[in-house]
């Protein structure tokens, strides 16, 4: 009588081994935060310094020079922009030193308030403003030191604490420029 082969004898054990290996792989990768850093691509590791101090991020040095509420905004016709009472406009000035501006070309800038909420740079309330799209680069690409000015809209009760600079190529890290 011929005995069944190895695979036929152990078919159920081999089939049960595959889900076990997959489960252990998922657990091992989750402990290293592989999913949070690579799959989700969310900024998790903030680099920050004391207010007005330099932060090294993505081959550049950045610092928040000024962050203040402002009403000095004008639409494309040159008329002052009126904001609803429940919203407030903030202006942030960021100083940047970089050898090659391409190292910051695809950055995203956002305002962080004391509750951890983030506010972007191009809300629909600012769609009629005469201003270039906010970026971390200067118009003159030969400059190595320059300033960028960015405007944000936040609820009137928001208390801004920092400006975040995020680059997809530098994830999960981001620069957190703390306000004074």
């Amino acid at each position: 009588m011929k005995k069944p082969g190895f695979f036929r004898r152990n078919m159920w054990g081999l089939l049960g081994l595959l889900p076990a290996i997959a489960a252990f792989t998922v657990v091992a990768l989750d402990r290293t935060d592989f999913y949070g850093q690579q799959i989700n691509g969310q900024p998790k590791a903030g680099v920050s310094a004391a207010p007005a101090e330099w932060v090294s991020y993505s081959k550049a040095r950045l610092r928040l020079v000024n962050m203040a509420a402002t009403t000095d905004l004008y639409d494309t016709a040159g008329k002052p922009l009126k904001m609803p009472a429940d919203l407030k406009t903030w202006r942030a000035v960021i100083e940047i030193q970089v050898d090659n501006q391409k190292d910051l070309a695809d950055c995203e800038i956002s305002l962080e308030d004391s509750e951890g909420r983030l506010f972007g740079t191009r809300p629909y309330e600012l769609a009629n403003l005469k201003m270039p799209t906010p970026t971390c680069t200067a118009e003159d690409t030969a400059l190595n030191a320059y300033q960028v000015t960015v405007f944000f809209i936040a609820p009137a009760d928001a208390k801004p604490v920092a400006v975040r600079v995020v680059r997809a190529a530098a994830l999960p890290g981001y620069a957190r420029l703390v306000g004074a």
Side-chain angles (χ1 to χ4, degrees):
M1 180 169 168
K2 189 174 177 183
K3 291 184 180 181
F6 173 81
F7 290 105
R8 187 166 263 206
R9 277 193 323 258
N10 298 303
M11 180 174 61
W12 291 110
L14 292 172
L15 288 175
L17 188 60
L18 291 174
I21 290 172
F24 281 111
T25 302
V26 167
V27 168
L29 289 176
D30 189 47
R31 281 193 353 213
T32 63
D33 199 28
F34 175 81
Y35 295 111
Q37 293 178 8
Q38 302 298 324
I39 295 174
N40 293 334
Q42 298 297 319
K44 292 190 179 248
V47 179
S48 63
E53 293 293 320
W54 291 96
V55 172
S56 293
Y57 175 71
S58 189
K59 300 179 185 175
R61 290 173 21 107
L62 306 105
R63 74 175 174 170
L64 185 61
V65 176
N66 185 7
M67 180 169 48
T70 185
T71 57
D72 194 23
L73 296 174
Y74 301 93
D75 64 13
T76 54
K79 296 178 182 173
L81 187 66
K82 278 285 208 187
M83 295 301 296
D86 60 340
L87 295 177
K88 197 174 206 180
T89 307
W90 292 87
R91 180 182 62 232
V93 179
I94 303 169
E95 189 170 359
I96 300 172
Q97 293 178 351
V98 63
D99 290 332
N100 185 350
Q101 289 188 35
K102 289 181 182 179
D103 292 331
L104 292 175
D106 63 344
C107 81
E108 293 181 20
I109 306 170
S110 57
L111 181 73
E112 178 186 342
D113 76 352
S114 59
E115 295 178 18
R117 299 178 293 183
L118 297 176
F119 304 97
T121 58
R122 293 303 284 181
Y124 68 90
E125 292 91 353
L126 297 181
N128 290 332
L129 287 183
K130 279 188 193 179
M131 61 188 242
T133 303
T135 180
C136 295
T137 58
E139 288 183 24
D140 182 357
T141 57
L143 293 176
N144 293 349
Y146 53 92
Q147 291 184 347
V148 294
T149 302
V150 187
F151 293 92
F152 304 96
I153 300 290
D157 63 342
K159 294 175 181 65
V161 294
V163 172
R164 285 188 181 193
V165 178
V166 179
R167 287 194 64 234
L171 286 173
Y174 67 91
R176 186 171 185 269
L177 310 174
V178 181

